[in-house]
Amino acid sequence: MPQKVVCFVIVLLLLSDSPRGRLAGALELLPRDRFLLADNGPGPLPPGRTVVVLDDRLASLPGRVDIPARCPAILSGQCQAAAQYAQRAGLLPLDCGLSLRDTLTLSSSTESSAVVSLQRPVARLDGEMVEPVEVPLALTRRWEPFPLLCCAGALLLAGGPAALLEARSF
């Protein structure tokens, strides 16, 4: 059965000590017709269409941010501040990293390819479940692991493995 891909624009809310850093640069490579990188400006964020991305270099807990209830959050499994914030805000964490405990990891990586590995089922934004899977990616540039996993996580949440395979962001 073919998988559907979510067709509305997804808001990526980046919470970082340095909003214009390497992670923002990576997220901006995602298709602009499907992803909008936002800061915590005025106005409510759309429920069911927002994904919070917590920087792995986050040093302090963000202040009050108006995030929809049970919003997915992509974060580093190694960043204590991000994990604490996600728990306190009631977010649904998608932990990324190179540890076996992380939900989204790389099972292999070279300069020209990577295999993204989803270790546990996660719910997409439309509520459908994505089962554990490995997705090979051809890379057109050098990637640090965490930004690569954040982009892969956003695509998985939007449309599952099909969205990752169709992406030309890497």
Side-chain angles (χ1 to χ4, degrees):
M1 182 163 129
Q3 291 199 7
K4 64 181 179 179
V5 176
V6 177
C7 294
F8 48 74
V9 174
I10 296 167
V11 176
L12 297 173
L13 175 63
L14 176 59
L15 298 180
S16 174
D17 293 334
S18 143
R20 292 288 114 204
R22 69 187 171 89
L23 187 52
L27 294 171
E28 287 172 344
L29 296 174
L30 291 170
R32 291 180 185 254
D33 61 330
R34 296 195 38 229
F35 293 93
L36 169 68
L37 186 59
D39 57 16
N40 187 34
L45 296 165
R49 293 182 25 204
T50 300
V51 175
V52 176
V53 181
L54 294 154
D55 198 332
D56 62 329
R57 297 178 182 174
L58 192 67
S60 58
L61 295 175
R64 183 172 174 344
V65 181
D66 191 18
I67 300 172
R70 301 194 43 80
C71 182
I74 300 171
L75 57 98
S76 167
Q78 310 307 309
C79 182
Q80 193 69 268
Q84 287 174 352
Y85 180 80
Q87 183 177 24
R88 187 182 79 209
L91 304 176
L92 301 174
L94 173 59
D95 51 317
C96 301
L98 301 179
S99 165
L100 291 175
R101 293 185 319 259
D102 291 313
T103 300
L104 192 61
T105 189
L106 296 173
S107 61
S108 71
S109 179
T110 69
E111 285 190 28
S112 61
S113 67
V115 177
V116 174
S117 179
L118 180 64
Q119 302 293 316
R120 285 171 278 296
V122 295
R124 293 181 356 181
L125 289 171
D126 64 3
E128 296 215 12
M129 294 303 291
V130 180
E131 296 299 324
V133 65
E134 290 200 339
V135 180
L137 302 175
L139 304 180
T140 59
R141 65 185 198 84
R142 186 179 184 99
W143 282 86
E144 290 181 52
F146 187 69
L148 174 63
L149 289 167
C150 285
C151 290
L155 287 161
L156 278 171
L157 291 170
L164 255 176
L165 290 170
E166 294 168 6
R168 305 216 187 286
S169 306
F170 302 105

